[in-house]
Amino acid sequence: MKLPRRHFLGSSFVVLGSTLMDALTTPLWRWKHSLLLDSKSSSGEQVQFVDVAQQAGLNVPNVWGSNTRKRYIIEAKGSGIAFFDYDNDGWLDIYLTNGSRLGEKWPEGKAPTSQLFKNNRDGTFTNVTEKSGLARTGWQTGVCVGDYDNDGWDDLFCCFWGHNLLFHNNGDGTFTDVTRKSGVYDEKIRWGAGCTFADFPAIRTFFITTMAMALSLMFLKNRGF
């Protein structure tokens, strides 16, 4: 039986696999490890992490300002990431945000973009960004996952410097930008630093943390369909 992401995340437990590869190659409904967080290993040895990005196919450069000098705070902020099952096959896929460089004039097709990687179920990933329609260039600092229209497919809300974006999951491996259609577009230039979906009290809504000269919060209510 497949466990929907919402049901799985509804528990207050934290999943801790024996290795990162184990977590990425095991669908949620076949997970055999304890869901309780254990800060100590049974052998008493320290936990170690191994970089497997290249072997897994996660080899797209993450650009965030100059390589030699950070002149402004946005260049030092860094990116965000989302593990979510965008195609409902039971395996966690990866959405990776990206940045840019101030004053850089990128050749056509060479500008850094956000990336979507499909889990191949063997510890490797395939870049499906172009097919998905999620490629965007800009300073993207955050992303949150939620099924805002309750159609069973996880959607993405993406936080940028400038204008935030809401992507609807079409259920066929592609996404559609519905920012204006949904009414969440803001004409003002803002810095979307983070966001979250919440069911409050019974209709999916989301909060957006924005940064301008001062920190502010936005609350957007989902009016349903």
Side-chain angles (χ1 to χ4, degrees), residues 19-90:
T19 65
L20 175 61
M21 192 67 68
D22 199 20
L24 294 177
T25 58
T26 305
L28 298 181
W29 69 88
R30 291 171 55 185
W31 191 265
K32 302 300 182 182
H33 299 284
S34 170
L35 295 179
L36 294 176
L37 177 63
D38 184 3
S39 60
K40 298 180 180 179
S41 63
S42 58
S43 63
E45 298 178 355
Q46 292 184 344
V47 176
Q48 294 184 346
F49 292 89
V50 178
D51 185 353
V52 296
Q54 291 297 320
Q55 300 94 304
L58 305 174
N59 50 17
V60 175
N62 192 255
V63 178
W64 208 263
S66 170
N67 289 331
T68 59
R69 181 185 179 190
K70 307 294 183 182
R71 295 171 293 171
Y72 301 98
I73 188 173
I74 194 171
E75 296 180 277
K77 179 66 173 63
S79 300
I81 190 172
F83 285 83
F84 77 118
D85 183 10
Y86 84 95
D87 53 359
N88 278 348
D89 66 352

